[in-house]
Amino acid sequence: IYKKYNTFEPEQKTIELERKLCTNSSFMENTTKIEDAKNISDVVVYDGFEMQKFIRENINYITNDTLHIIFTNRLTCTFDERDGRYHARAVICSNPAIISTSGMIEAPAKPREYYFEAMTLKAQGQNMDSAKERYKDKFLDYNDKRLTKIIEGYILQVIFYNITGEAFCEDIECRLNNAHWQKDLLFSQIEICKLCKKHNEILESLN
């Protein structure tokens, strides 16, 4: 998505979608996923900073004295001025913070081998179920049981951001690592599942 966010009047179908989502958030699961989309414009995404701004301005009880964390299955993204396009995000820090379960699935990249196999199957007019089955342990998918454990790490990132001003850690063996690949996300959050020495000391100093 190469067009930066601009204010516009929403189409009726967009309004109806939001009404459905407000009634039942699981309806989001019926929307087009990135890997199934013929055009990226078919994917429902939300500007994370604009969502954050809307929440802050429209929920009266949000104050800086309390850290508010919003959990959503909506796919959040932010615009990167460096390459001029939107990128999916799992977490938008600050207060209120937003953690997106769809972002956990779509933001960190899957294995290159999976993409090659999936593209081949798609070109042949086949579904990608066989590729997903082959690599199912290598990345997260929707309704994945591992998401609960992954969420814990993103909550820690939000908390540390509000304490120290820094959400992420370069150490891959730390739950604050900002993983760009699914394999790194699963490694830091599932296999390691702990803070590095530096951030553990920061946490202990707060007691």
Side-chain angles (χ1 to χ4, degrees), residues 138-180:
K138 305 295 184 181
F139 59 82
L140 295 170
D141 204 353
Y142 290 89
N143 301 310
D144 198 304
K145 293 180 180 179
R146 294 171 293 180
L147 282 170
T148 302
K149 202 69 180 175
I150 300 293
I151 286 172
E152 294 176 2
Y154 284 109
I155 292 173
L156 283 171
Q157 291 175 13
V158 168
I159 292 171
F160 269 87
Y161 178 83
N162 281 271
I163 293 172
T164 68
E166 296 181 358
F168 308 122
C169 178
E170 294 183 359
D171 188 347
I172 196 173
E173 295 190 0
C174 179
R175 297 199 83 179
L176 303 186
N177 181 256
N178 184 22
H180 296 289

Side-chain angles (χ1 to χ4, degrees), residues 16-27 74:
E16 291 301 321
L17 172 63
E18 288 305 314
R19 283 176 177 165
K20 289 180 181 179
L21 289 172
C22 288
T23 304
N24 182 3
S25 62
S26 65
F27 187 79
R74 288 167 167 81

Side-chain angles (χ1 to χ4, degrees), residues 49 51-57 59 61-70 92-98 158-159 161-163:
F49 294 140
M51 181 186 287
Q52 197 174 54
K53 179 182 175 183
F54 178 84
I55 294 169
R56 188 182 297 115
E57 292 177 348
I59 300 181
Y61 58 80
I62 287 187
T63 66
N64 289 329
D65 296 330
T66 303
L67 174 57
H68 302 270
I69 304 176
I70 311 300
I92 311 292
C93 291
S94 192
N95 191 14
I98 300 171
V158 168
I159 292 171
Y161 178 83
N162 281 271
I163 293 172

